[in-house]
Amino acid sequence: MARNIEEQVAERLGALVDDEIGESFQQLGLVGTVSSRLRRVNAQLHYVGGAPEVAQRLQAQAEAAVGDLGSVSVELVPLDPAGQAELRERLMTPAMLEARSSRTPVFSLPGATTRVIGVSSGKGGVGKSSVTANVAVELARRGRRVGILDADVYGFSIPKLLGLASMPRVIDDLILPPKAFGVKVMSLGFFVDEDTPVIWRGPMLHKTIEQFLVDVLWGELDYLLVDMPPGTGDVALSLQQFLPRSEIFVVTTPQSAAVRVAQRSALAAKKLKLPVRGVVENMSAFVTPGGERYPIFGSGGGAQLATELGVELLAELPLTMALREGGDHGTPVVVHSPSDLASESLRALVDKLESLGPVRRYRGDLKVQSR
Ligand SMILES: Nc1ncnc2c1ncn2[C@@H]1O[C@H](COP(=O)(O)OP(=O)(O)OP(=O)(O)O)[C@@H](O)[C@H]1O
Ligand SMILES: [Mg+2]
């Protein structure tokens, strides 16, 4: 039996998915009234605001969804405060409620399965953020649920590397992390002008990191990658406190001077009882199209650091134009030039990271019983 046109319009609009939340408008209860008069259908769709382009994109998607059903006009109606409070209730999982009340990130609650990966370096400018962004995007391409917390509060660069410019949307007091290339991102860069220097004291930074972990609707994640500031500062301490199950990966260039500083940051992590799992050497060599290798920043530093720390050297990423250009244009090299040498090495790095698996933790309370 042919259903009436209003039902069809409501169904099509309800099937639209809010990508950042990961649920359909029907599930979220955001399809408003649908009525018709003189063969013209008027439909309302509620939405949670944000940048104007979010509404424009949604309007275009909604119109495309009902375009073949005749004369249908879709009106976007911003969700009012009462509607936002209701939606917030709907989105809060029991884990989130517990996280909120204890101010503990969901990733640190007992039974949490997200692998939290801190990407650290001694020196700045060694490619830590580029590695973080590319690894995250590659993991997402493989179907993993991935987030990046840009904890480099002084030198945030993840939004730019992923081409994200929009302010996060806020539902009541929940912050929705914007998504790029399938990766959810939270960064101070969304709230602070790029040219504004951030001069903060430790406690304020600590509070911000707490908010980014507890008040953000991360949803369920397989991986949370944390782009840490270079060195051994306050942020590492905050992370240790909020995310004591983090694994640390250290990025260095091959230069011996860089290696010495990287070693210091790795030792600081160890002191905080965060396990250092591996070393990534970046800017290893420049390789000409003819295959000639130029070790511009020297060679052997990554291997040396890995030996000193007793961990594996997971990758030697070459210097390539495509990697730098990808970052400058906001499209990571693994997406923009998948056949580039750097993309190949990054994919191999992700293979290793996945095969390494989460840290096995010794549980003192569990004993092997012999019969
Ligand atoms: N393998 C590489 N090949 C070419 N360019 C690279 C490579 N790795 C990083 N770069 C470039 O080097 C610059 C610094 O990289 P990036 O911002 O990732 O480093 P960082 O360690 O996060 O720096 P910061 O300390 O400023 O946060 C960027 O312009 C990036 O595009
Ligand atoms: Mg950086």
Side-chain angles (χ1 to χ4, degrees):
M1 195 180 73
R3 283 167 315 133
N4 69 34
I5 181 78
E6 291 94 334
E7 277 173 5
Q8 289 181 49
V9 169
E11 191 177 295
R12 296 274 186 95
L13 294 178
L16 291 171
V17 171
D18 185 309
D19 193 34
E20 285 174 4
I21 303 179
E23 290 184 37
S24 72
F25 277 72
Q26 153 78 29
Q27 285 169 309
L28 297 170
L30 294 177
V31 182
T33 53
V34 182
S35 56
S36 62
R37 229 181 131 228
L38 302 174
R39 307 184 68 182
R40 203 180 156 75
V41 182
N42 291 301
Q44 284 187 332
L45 197 58
H46 294 287
Y47 78 109
V48 184
E53 59 267 21
V54 176
Q56 276 163 17
R57 217 174 27 235
L58 179 59
Q59 183 83 46
Q61 277 175 332
E63 280 167 11
V66 295
D68 62 332
L69 293 179
S71 172
V72 183
S73 66
V74 181
E75 184 196 356
L76 294 192
V77 183
L79 203 59
D80 62 16
Q84 287 195 28
E86 205 175 296
L87 180 58
R88 174 195 184 279
E89 290 312 304
R90 200 183 281 244
L91 294 173
M92 281 291 218
T93 60
M96 279 201 78
L97 287 170
E98 189 184 337
R100 277 290 180 102
S101 60
S102 59
R103 300 306 287 167
T104 306
V106 278
F107 315 112
S108 302
L109 294 175
T113 54
T114 306
R115 271 183 79 184
V116 181
I117 292 185
V119 185
S120 110
S121 75
K123 268 173 21 112
V126 298
K128 189 170 31 67
S129 304
S130 306
V131 170
T132 307
N134 276 287
V135 165
V137 170
E138 178 59 24
L139 283 166
R141 281 160 68 95
R142 296 179 184 195
R144 311 288 177 256
R145 298 165 298 178
V146 190
I148 299 181
L149 170 66
D150 185 357
D152 191 348
V153 282
Y154 306 104
F156 42 82
S157 60
I158 296 291
K160 208 155 173 231
L161 289 173
L162 294 178
L164 277 170
S166 51
M167 274 284 279
R169 294 186 292 157
V170 177
I171 302 175
D172 199 44
D173 61 351
L174 270 185
I175 309 173
L176 284 181
K179 222 170 165 187
F181 306 99
V183 176
K184 295 180 177 176
V185 178
M186 190 42 59
S187 169
L188 192 62
F190 293 135
F191 306 95
V192 178
D193 196 297
E194 210 184 338
D195 304 322
T196 310
V198 179
I199 306 168
W200 281 3
R201 290 180 192 280
M204 259 167 89
L205 281 180
H206 193 70
K207 187 81 204 143
T208 303
I209 291 186
E210 182 196 287
Q211 282 192 319
F212 282 2
L213 285 166
V214 177
D215 298 330
V216 168
L217 186 75
W218 289 104
E220 297 209 350
L221 295 181
D222 298 312
Y223 289 91
L224 177 71
L225 271 63
V226 184
D227 186 6
M228 294 165 68
T232 55
D234 289 337
V235 174
L237 266 166
S238 303
L239 282 184
Q240 187 264 345
Q241 197 169 329
F242 292 126
L243 301 168
R245 301 202 310 201
S246 309
E247 312 165 32
I248 301 291
F249 292 81
V250 185
V251 181
T252 182
T253 59
Q255 273 172 301
S256 51
V259 168
R260 270 201 306 280
V261 198
Q263 192 177 17
R264 235 180 286 146
S265 85
L267 294 177
K270 279 194 169 171
K271 240 187 178 157
L272 293 172
K273 303 235 171 347
L274 297 174
V276 178
R277 306 280 325 269
V279 169
V280 175
E281 185 183 274
N282 186 29
M283 310 189 179
S284 293
F286 170 70
V287 185
T288 64
E292 229 178 314
R293 283 173 64 88
Y294 287 86
I296 292 173
F297 291 112
S299 54
Q304 183 196 334
L305 181 64
T307 309
E308 281 165 10
L309 297 173
V311 296
E312 203 181 333
L313 173 63
L314 299 173
E316 291 169 282
L317 307 173
L319 264 170
T320 75
M321 297 257 286
L323 190 149
R324 199 262 309 147
E325 281 167 358
D328 288 352
H329 298 145
T331 308
V333 68
V334 290
V335 174
H336 142 288
S337 305
S339 56
D340 185 66
L341 279 182
S343 299
E344 281 175 22
S345 307
L346 282 158
R347 284 195 296 271
L349 167 60
V350 172
D351 291 342
K352 286 236 172 125
L353 195 76
E354 293 228 90
S355 65
L356 212 54
V359 189
R360 292 200 193 165
R361 276 160 214 281
Y362 171 68
R363 293 262 314 268
D365 54 329
L366 295 180
K367 298 239 160 49
V368 179
Q369 289 196 335
S370 55
R371 291 181 193 225

